[in-house]
Amino acid sequence: MENVEASKEMNNNNKEKKENIRYLIPESEYDYDHPEVIRWTKYFTEKAQKRNVFINIRATLENQRTCSNRSMIAAQTMASAWYDFTCYVPVFITKAVTMTDDPERQHHLIQIAYDELGGRDKNFIHSNLFLEAIEEIGVNRVDGPSTSSIKEILDVLDKTLVNTKSQAGIVGLLLSFEIIAEENIEMLFDCLCHDESSSEILSKSPFFKIHRADETEHIRHSVANFLRFCNTDDDRGEFEESFDAGIDYWHRFWDQNARLINIASSMKASA
């Protein structure tokens, strides 16, 4: 009898855990515990990590903090860059969707853009939540050369998308957008924390709460799209080529932010 009760309790606990996972859409096939989801998530994560995308921005932050404990320059530079990026994300994804010709594929690809735009609630549009978060820590978005240079990098990404000729390549570019999302959010967090109080304030903000909870789902969803729509050797080759191009974008994005922070710091020091 005790074994039966224990089994029921275990099943209830498992059910509760599963219900707490917020899927973009109901997932009947490529769940988190699907062997192929696990396999390919690991594969693409390791492939991206080999590129050392964050090496220069980490060194820059370390230098900034050695010089002045925490850096408002880094926070303002990053705030401007990330706002441009977060506004661009739903535009990029919806543009990718218009380049696909299968309604089922479009249905799956559009989900993250919908999420970025608040899902069912416009009060949760991510770009607006980001502005609210930086306002709480006294960081202003500054228009100037930094925003122009980040927009140039976004333009390169846009051209990469436009020049992607295959449907599988589009799916690959979208996965590259998500595969290091958790690391991206933590790096953004580190850049924005310019004083001791910033960390607690940002951690409690809807923007960071949502992203720390949801990025894992975005990755799973994107890997599921790979498994759904890239089933031949040719498809997977085209997918990986675009995936690599997307990781190139992240390398340029973070390297450029490191440069902008260093330039702003040098200008302040010489003023």
Side-chain angles (χ1 to χ4, degrees):
M1 187 70 172
E2 288 181 2
N3 289 338
V4 172
E5 292 301 319
S7 178
K8 285 182 179 179
E9 183 177 354
M10 185 179 295
N11 289 334
N12 288 335
N13 288 339
N14 288 337
K15 182 179 179 182
E16 183 178 348
K17 286 180 182 177
K18 186 150 188 171
E19 286 174 349
N20 286 336
I21 295 174
R22 192 190 67 80
Y23 291 111
L24 293 174
I25 51 175
E27 180 59 68
S28 60
E29 185 173 5
Y30 294 115
D31 202 341
Y32 283 93
D33 58 358
H34 191 289
E36 289 297 286
V37 171
I38 295 169
R39 173 193 171 196
W40 287 103
T41 300
K42 182 175 185 292
Y43 171 80
F44 286 117
T45 299
E46 291 177 350
K47 185 178 175 68
Q49 288 174 343
K50 289 176 182 177
R51 300 293 302 281
N52 290 321
V53 166
F54 303 104
I55 188 168
N56 290 324
I57 188 68
R58 283 197 180 111
T60 295
L61 281 186
E62 187 66 29
N63 181 59
Q64 290 283 309
R65 288 171 181 176
T66 299
C67 297
S68 58
N69 187 27
R70 297 269 180 156
S71 172
M72 176 61 85
I73 289 174
Q76 288 181 328
T77 301
M78 200 64 239
S80 300
W82 197 267
Y83 180 72
D84 286 340
F85 168 73
T86 196
C87 287
Y88 175 69
V89 171
V91 176
F92 175 79
I93 298 173
T94 51
K95 188 169 186 176
V97 171
T98 67
M99 294 173 62
T100 61
D101 54 16
D102 170 40
E104 181 181 349
R105 189 187 304 250
Q106 292 169 351
H107 168 78
H108 285 284
L109 296 187
I110 199 65
Q111 295 298 319
I112 293 175
Y114 182 63
D115 209 31
E116 291 285 333
L117 293 172
R120 297 180 181 180
D121 189 345
K122 66 180 181 180
N123 293 312
F124 287 89
I125 294 172
H126 289 188
S127 55
N128 292 343
L129 293 180
F130 180 69
L131 290 179
E132 292 170 8
I134 61 174
E135 183 180 356
E136 285 288 312
I137 59 169
V139 172
N140 297 317
R141 190 173 63 86
V142 180
D143 289 321
S146 62
T147 56
S148 297
S149 65
I150 292 299
K151 285 176 180 176
E152 288 173 6
I153 290 175
L154 293 175
D155 285 342
V156 172
L157 180 63
D158 198 71
K159 289 174 183 175
T160 302
L161 173 63
V162 170
N163 292 326
T164 301
K165 302 303 181 183
S166 72
Q167 305 282 296
I170 292 170
V171 178
L173 201 54
L174 292 178
L175 176 60
S176 72
F177 227 49
E178 300 294 341
I179 197 66
I180 58 171
E182 292 164 315
E183 293 92 333
N184 282 333
I185 287 299
E186 295 312 317
M187 181 55 66
L188 172 64
F189 183 85
D190 285 347
C191 289
L192 293 175
C193 288
H194 63 89
D195 59 23
E196 291 183 1
S197 66
S198 300
S199 177
E200 183 177 358
I201 294 170
L202 289 175
S203 292
K204 292 179 178 178
S205 71
F207 177 84
F208 278 100
K209 280 186 174 181
I210 287 170
H211 283 78
R212 283 172 167 169
D214 288 1
E215 295 298 4
T216 302
E217 169 61 4
H218 286 188
I219 294 167
R220 183 211 61 79
H221 180 79
S222 299
V223 172
N225 287 339
F226 163 74
L227 293 169
R228 283 189 181 96
F229 302 117
C230 302
N231 297 310
T232 68
D233 289 342
D234 286 344
D235 283 344
R236 294 191 169 186
E238 291 165 351
F239 177 99
E240 290 211 38
E241 184 178 347
S242 288
F243 177 87
D244 290 342
I247 301 302
D248 285 343
Y249 157 75
W250 282 120
H251 220 309
R252 286 192 296 270
F253 178 84
W254 287 112
D255 281 0
Q256 184 61 14
N257 278 295
R259 290 188 198 98
L260 292 169
I261 292 167
N262 287 326
I263 290 169
S265 296
S266 297
M267 290 176 64
K268 183 178 179 180
S270 61

